[in-house]
Each structure stands twice: as structure tokens, then as C-alpha cells.
Amino acid sequence: MSTVGDEARGEMNTFQRNESKESLFTFISAGDDPPKGDFPVQKKSPKLCGSNYPLSIAFIVVNEFCERFSYYGMRGMWPMGRDYPILVFLYMMAWRSRVLLYMVSQATTSDNWLGKYKTIIYLSIVYVVGHLIKSVGAIPSLGFCNGVVFVLPCISAFGGDQFEEEHTSERSKFFSVFYLSINAGSLISTFVTPVLRGDVKCFGEDCYALAFGVPAALMVLALVVFIAGSGLYRKTPPQGNVLLEVCKCIGFAIKNRLKNRSRQIPKRDHWLDWASEKYSKELIGEVKMVTRVLFLFLPLPMFWALFDQQVQYSTLQGIYVLQPDQMQFLNPLLILVFIPIFDLGLYPLISMCKFNFTPIRKMATGMILAGMAFGLAAIVEVKINETDMPQLVPKESLIQVLNLAKNPVQVTIQDQNLFQQPVEAFQSPDEYSHLILNGEQQSLQFILQHQGSSLAFNYTMKEKTVYTLIVFEAGGNLSSRLISDLEAKPENGLAAVRFINGLSQDVNLTIDSKQFIPVQRNYGVSGYSLVERDIYDNGKCITETGEFTLDLGLLDFGASYTVVITNVSGGAVQTWKSEDIKANNVHMAWQLPQYLLISAGEVMFSITGLAFSYSQSPASMKSVLQAGWLLTVAVGNTLVLVVAQAAPMAQWAEFVLFTVLLFAVCIIFSIMGYFYVSVDPEDLEEKEEKRETPSRGNMISLVTQKTKL
């Protein structure tokens, strides 16, 4: 491509240098046909197992599998810890957007100057170095290094280049195989990396160095495999900075058109034809193809924005019944299942029905499926909210009563109409009661009636606070204590538990090997401890008289518990457990339809988009359009940041909004796609070459501009 049009540009530059120093003329003619450059003849690669697939594809696919294992393994470990789930989401989206934007600009530019092969090699080396630094930095004694930035080269266009022009069907299926390798790497990495982190111990703690080291080793292997296939690749020689040429061509066309706005000037067939005074017909024709596709891509970032929202929030929903590590494997697993089903079953069946399922229709269908997934997500969110704490408002607080005495107690609160019936001994409250205050805080009198006696206590209540009133017997007399509770569900699907010590001696409790909880005697109350969902039947209670077994039973997802130590007998601690905040009761099956729809939509949208962007671009512009496709992903990730930080609405309402937005974008994209006519770049180039253009002798000067040297 660098040869094509060079002479034409050289001619024009000479022409411009010989112009009058007093005036500059803008011409209408498309100019003379530029001479054609010669390209080196590409060798034919050996075929894979007698098929039309080049053997070089095997090296590219294995390379992509290893690289994706490396990427998702690293991403799954970042940042370390589980204290800030939304921060993790925002950070990862910002990080991914920066990487994608940097990749689009830098990888495309490098491709233009170095060629795809060298670009992939050089940037993969940077990738490997970043992984090695990350792995070494994860060793505790060396400190954690978190400033590594790496670049993922655009290898999909290089894979498409390996096919001869007559094997378009095989090339189209290659993008499915390419996507299979991506998700296979993601799936295995999702399973293996958490095991390496949590089940393997090194340096006395979770082995993050190994969890980062294995992805680093896979990236080294990816680089080795890619280099090993060097002799088999069809390599397109570097053609200069094509992206810069495209931008300059577009800019010159716009500038030239603005200069020639007179009605006396004949119109041109296309707005890019206004660049013909400076650029060759071939380059202009190629830019036309690129801009047509890029214009079609304008609505697509919204799909990626909502797709990332769906996957992320599905994971956050999923942690109510499963751990996040367990949920994330569903998407790549379904992708691996759907790709062969669609390519070998669904698409041929649709073709047999004489329906022209064009790439644009596939992508629009994918958007519809993703929108339906968001609708189901809204339903699941409403179901999840059934076990949430009530939303607190100003001048209101919540209260419940735990009666730890031996007999029922009647509780009366000043100016409140609550607790009409006596509270039975060790009765688990069904729900919190609402207290209406006369300001931000209010002192209220509590009257307790117990076995014919009446006692009064005064407590100051603050708005938007959750309380538990503990009623107990101390020294033969009735007493009470007001304590603060959790105001919302524990995050990350964890369970919260606190202890009330009803013994006359201090106790030290261990729930597991990491939790050590001291609780004072005579109804002292501990703080909350957050634990993972599990059955805790091997805890320990250490008192002045000895060590006893502590059995808490199941501590479930998202629940909050108050455990009262009532007695010690028979070598074990006797306890009573109250569930203050209900456990999450949404089963994984509720999320399966979401994952089915979003994964099917991804297959139809993403794979088709990759193949479509490759097929609709001329040979010199393959990487430009692939970069344009990746740019839609990057812009979508950026939109996620805006939505996640700016949307003040309830989660279910946000899902409904996303559904409406995606359907609206789908309609816009479908209308644009209806008027888009798919072309064969080679046919279009031949058509451009055959167009008759007036000779330069017929050109007339239309705009005269005074200019200075």
C-alpha cells in the first residue's frame, strides 16, 4: 500500500511547489490514475490435516489460549482482597478501558510501522516482563508491585491474514475458533488460579506469587509458541502509518469541501472525493470502505457498556448464593458450548430455511438477547431485595427485642404503638419494627413489665439506626441493654455473627483458625465478625474453667446472626441463635437464564463483529477496522464507569433502564444496517479503477485564495 499512490502524491507535491506565490487553486477533478505498486507474492502455508486451514493457525490459536489464560488469571487476582467489591469493579473497568484505548492507538500504529508479526512479538515481550514483575512483586518480603501496564496486540487480524482469498468460509470460521481459544483460556484460568491462590500456601499465607507466576509462565509459553510458527506465517509487509494517512485524507476532504461551498461548483459522488486533489483514488476508495463500517459501529459501545454491567452485576448477584469465583466460569463455559452449536447447527438450519441471516442481523439479534438478559436481571434483583433490610429514612429508626429472661416480657415504648403482645423468652423476632422520632435523635422511655413488676429505662435513639433491645435477668432483677445492629446486609455474600455472653465469666471464642473473639461476662456483647458461608461446628469457647466445643451450625450467605451463650455443660457450650437479617434465598438457577441469554448474545454479536470488520476492509486497512472494533469495547467500558458512579436509582430500576437503552440502540443499529450494503473490498477496488475521470486538462480553477509564503 505504501507504493500505491506515492507517485500521485509526489506529483501533487511538485505541482504545489510550482504554484504561484500569490494564489492557490483548488481543483475539482479526481486527477490522473496513480501507478500501481507491486506487492511481494505471499507464499502458501501448509494446510492443517488436509483441510483448507493453514497450519500457522494452530500456532496462533494456541498462542491466544495461553495469552487469555494469562490475562484472566492475572485479572482474577487483581486487586488482592475482597473488601471493596464495587471498587474492584470500577478499578477493573477503568484499567481495562485504559489498556484497550492504549492498545487501539499504539498497537495499530506499531502494526503500520513494524508489521503485525513484529508488533505481536515486541508487545508480547512487554506483556511477559509485566507479568514477571507482578509475580515477583507478589512475594510478601519484596512488597506488592501494582503499577504494571501491558498491551494486548491485535492478533485476530494477523490470523485472518493467513488464509488465501478463496478460503473465505474457513476464514469466517477461524474467528469462531479464535473466540473459542479465548474463552477456553478464561474458563480454565477461572478454575485454576483461585486454587493456586487459596489452596496452596507459600510464605505463610495465600500464594499470590504462584497465582501470578503461572499466568506469567503461560504468557512466556504463548510467546514461544508464536515465534515457533514464524516460518509458516503469511506476513504482510509494513505499509507506513496507514492510520495517519486515513486521518489526513478525511481531514483534507472536509477542509476542501468547506472551501468549495459555492453552488456553482459541481457536486461529487461522495464527500471523500473532495480529497482527490491530494490523495490517490485507491486510498480514497479504501477510506470510504473504512468510514462506512466505522459509522455503522457508532451505536455499538452501548452494547459493550451494558454487557460489562450485566456480567459484573450477575457476579455480584451470584455471590448471594455462590462465591464469585464459582459464578464467573459460567460465561466462558456457555461460550464454549454455544459456538459449535451455532456454527454447526443453528446457522446452517437457518440457512436451510432460506432466511438470509446476514452479519448485521446476527449482531442485532445478539443485542436483543443481551437486552432480554437485563430484563431477567431486574426480576432477579427484585427477588434478592425481598431479604434486604428496610430502607431507612430521616426521623426513623428500627428496633427489635430479644427476651433472654425466663418468662415473657411486655415492652412499651413512649409515644410508640409497638409490641402489642408480650415478647416470649428466646423468641426470634420476625422483623424489625419502625420507630418514629421527632428529630435526628430522641430520648425515649422503655417500660418493661415482667411477672407483675414494672421497670422503666431511658435510651436515646438516633435516626437511620438499627437497634436491638436485650432484656435479661441479672442478680434476680430484670435489666436491659440497647445495642446497635447492622444497617445493611454483609457485603460479598459473607455472613455476620456477634455474641452475647450470658455466663458469669469472661469467654474467648474462636470460630475458625483466624477469628479470636473476647466477650465480657454478664451479657457483654461482641462486635460483628464476617465469615464465609459454612457450617461452623468446630469452634472453641475458652473460659476460666476450661475449653469447650462451640457449634454454631450454618452461617448463611448475606445473613446476620446474634448468638447467645446460655450455659456450659457436658463439655460443650449451649447457645441460642437469632437471625437478625435474613439469609439470601436466591438460588443459582435464577441466574442461569441470564447467563444463557447474555452468552448467546455475545456469540452472535462479538464473533460476528470480528469477522464482519475484517471482511469489510481492504487488505491495507484490516488492522484499522479491527482497532475500530476494539475501540467500541473501550468506549463501552468508559460508559460503564459513568453509569456506575452517576446512577442514583435502585438497582432493579437501573437494569430496566439498561434494557430500554439496549433495545433503543438495537433499533438504531438495525435501521443503519438496513441501509448498509456489504461489499467485497476487491470488487470495490476494481470498480473504483474502472471509473472514468476527466483529464487534468479539463480542470478549472474554482476557488482563489490569497496566501503567504
Side-chain angles (χ1 to χ4, degrees), residues 3 59 62 65 87 90 104 123 140 152 163 326 486 576 580 583 592 608 652 663:
T3 305
F59 292 88
V62 173
F65 168 83
L87 181 61
L90 295 178
V104 168
L123 294 183
L152 167 67
F163 292 86
Q326 294 173 304
L486 291 180
W576 175 77
D580 303 329
L592 188 57
T608 306
W652 68 267
F663 281 130

Coordinates of all heavy atoms in Angstrom, one line a residue, residues 3 59 62 65 87 90 104 123 140 152 163 326 486 576 580 583 592 608 652 663:
T3 N 3.5 1.8 -1.7 CA 3.9 2.1 -3.1 C 2.7 2.8 -3.8 O 2.9 3.7 -4.6 CB 4.3 0.8 -3.8 OG1 5.3 0.2 -3.0 CG2 4.8 1.2 -5.2
F59 N -0.7 -22.4 15.6 CA 0.2 -21.7 16.5 C -0.5 -20.4 17.0 O -0.3 -20.0 18.2 CB 1.5 -21.3 15.7 CG 2.4 -22.5 15.4 CD1 2.2 -23.2 14.2 CD2 3.4 -22.9 16.2 CE1 2.9 -24.3 13.8 CE2 4.2 -24.0 15.9 CZ 4.0 -24.7 14.7
V62 N -3.2 -21.5 19.7 CA -2.5 -21.9 21.0 C -1.9 -20.7 21.7 O -2.0 -20.6 22.9 CB -1.4 -23.0 20.7 CG1 -0.6 -23.3 22.0 CG2 -2.0 -24.3 20.2
F65 N -4.8 -18.9 23.3 CA -5.3 -19.6 24.5 C -4.4 -19.3 25.7 O -4.8 -19.0 26.8 CB -5.3 -21.2 24.3 CG -5.5 -22.0 25.5 CD1 -6.7 -22.2 26.0 CD2 -4.4 -22.5 26.2 CE1 -6.9 -23.0 27.1 CE2 -4.5 -23.3 27.3 CZ -5.8 -23.5 27.8
L87 N -15.4 -1.2 44.3 CA -14.1 -0.5 43.9 C -13.4 -1.4 43.0 O -12.8 -1.0 42.0 CB -13.3 -0.3 45.2 CG -12.0 0.4 45.0 CD1 -12.1 1.7 44.3 CD2 -11.2 0.5 46.3
L90 N -15.0 -0.9 39.6 CA -14.7 0.3 38.9 C -13.2 0.4 38.5 O -12.9 0.9 37.4 CB -15.0 1.5 39.9 CG -16.5 1.7 40.3 CD1 -16.6 2.8 41.3 CD2 -17.3 2.0 39.0
V104 N -5.5 0.2 21.2 CA -6.0 0.6 19.9 C -5.1 1.5 19.2 O -4.7 1.4 18.0 CB -7.4 1.2 20.0 CG1 -7.8 1.8 18.8 CG2 -8.4 0.1 20.4
L123 N 5.4 -6.5 21.6 CA 4.5 -6.1 22.7 C 4.2 -7.3 23.6 O 3.9 -7.1 24.8 CB 3.1 -5.6 22.1 CG 3.2 -4.3 21.3 CD1 1.9 -3.8 20.9 CD2 3.9 -3.2 22.2
P140 N 5.6 -11.5 49.6 CA 5.5 -10.6 50.7 C 6.7 -9.8 51.1 O 6.7 -8.6 51.4 CB 4.9 -11.4 51.8 CG 4.3 -12.6 51.1 CD 5.1 -12.8 49.9
L152 N -2.1 -5.8 24.9 CA -2.5 -6.9 24.1 C -2.6 -6.6 22.6 O -3.4 -5.8 22.2 CB -3.9 -7.4 24.6 CG -4.6 -8.4 23.7 CD1 -3.9 -9.7 23.8 CD2 -6.1 -8.6 24.1
F163 N -5.1 -16.8 5.6 CA -6.0 -17.5 4.7 C -5.8 -16.9 3.3 O -5.7 -15.7 3.1 CB -7.4 -17.5 5.1 CG -7.7 -18.2 6.3 CD1 -7.6 -17.7 7.6 CD2 -8.2 -19.5 6.3 CE1 -7.8 -18.3 8.8 CE2 -8.5 -20.3 7.5 CZ -8.3 -19.6 8.7
Q326 N -16.9 -19.0 41.8 CA -17.7 -20.1 41.3 C -18.7 -19.6 40.2 O -19.1 -20.4 39.3 CB -18.6 -20.7 42.4 CG -17.7 -21.4 43.5 CD -18.6 -21.8 44.7 OE1 -19.3 -21.1 45.3 NE2 -18.5 -23.1 44.9
L486 N -26.4 -4.1 62.5 CA -26.0 -3.8 61.1 C -27.2 -3.1 60.4 O -28.4 -3.5 60.6 CB -25.6 -5.1 60.4 CG -24.3 -5.8 60.8 CD1 -24.1 -7.0 59.9 CD2 -23.2 -4.8 60.6
W576 N -27.9 -20.2 71.8 CA -29.2 -19.9 71.1 C -28.9 -18.8 70.0 O -28.2 -17.8 70.3 CB -30.2 -19.4 72.1 CG -31.5 -18.9 71.4 CD1 -32.5 -19.7 70.9 CD2 -31.9 -17.6 71.2 NE1 -33.5 -19.0 70.4 CE2 -33.2 -17.6 70.5 CE3 -31.4 -16.3 71.4 CZ2 -33.9 -16.5 70.1 CZ3 -32.1 -15.2 71.0 CH2 -33.3 -15.3 70.4
D580 N -30.9 -12.1 62.6 CA -31.4 -10.7 62.6 C -31.7 -10.2 61.2 O -32.7 -9.5 60.9 CB -30.3 -9.8 63.2 CG -30.0 -10.2 64.7 OD1 -30.9 -10.7 65.3 OD2 -28.8 -10.0 65.1
A583 N -31.1 -14.6 55.5 CA -30.1 -15.0 54.5 C -30.7 -14.9 53.1 O -31.9 -14.9 52.9 CB -29.8 -16.5 54.8
L592 N -29.3 -18.6 35.8 CA -29.0 -19.4 34.6 C -29.6 -18.8 33.3 O -28.9 -18.7 32.3 CB -29.3 -20.8 34.8 CG -28.9 -21.8 33.7 CD1 -27.3 -21.7 33.6 CD2 -29.3 -23.2 34.0
T608 N -19.3 -12.4 15.3 CA -19.8 -11.9 14.0 C -19.2 -10.5 13.7 O -18.7 -10.2 12.6 CB -21.3 -11.7 14.0 OG1 -21.9 -13.0 14.3 CG2 -21.8 -11.3 12.6
W652 N -32.7 -2.5 40.5 CA -33.6 -3.1 39.6 C -34.1 -2.1 38.6 O -34.3 -2.4 37.4 CB -34.8 -3.7 40.4 CG -35.7 -2.6 41.0 CD1 -35.6 -2.1 42.3 CD2 -36.8 -1.9 40.4 NE1 -36.6 -1.2 42.5 CE2 -37.3 -1.0 41.3 CE3 -37.4 -2.0 39.1 CZ2 -38.4 -0.2 41.0 CZ3 -38.4 -1.1 38.8 CH2 -38.9 -0.3 39.8
F663 N -32.4 -1.9 23.8 CA -33.4 -2.1 22.7 C -33.4 -0.9 21.8 O -33.6 -1.0 20.6 CB -34.8 -2.4 23.3 CG -34.9 -3.8 23.8 CD1 -35.4 -4.1 25.0 CD2 -34.6 -4.9 22.9 CE1 -35.6 -5.4 25.5 CE2 -34.8 -6.2 23.4 CZ -35.2 -6.5 24.6

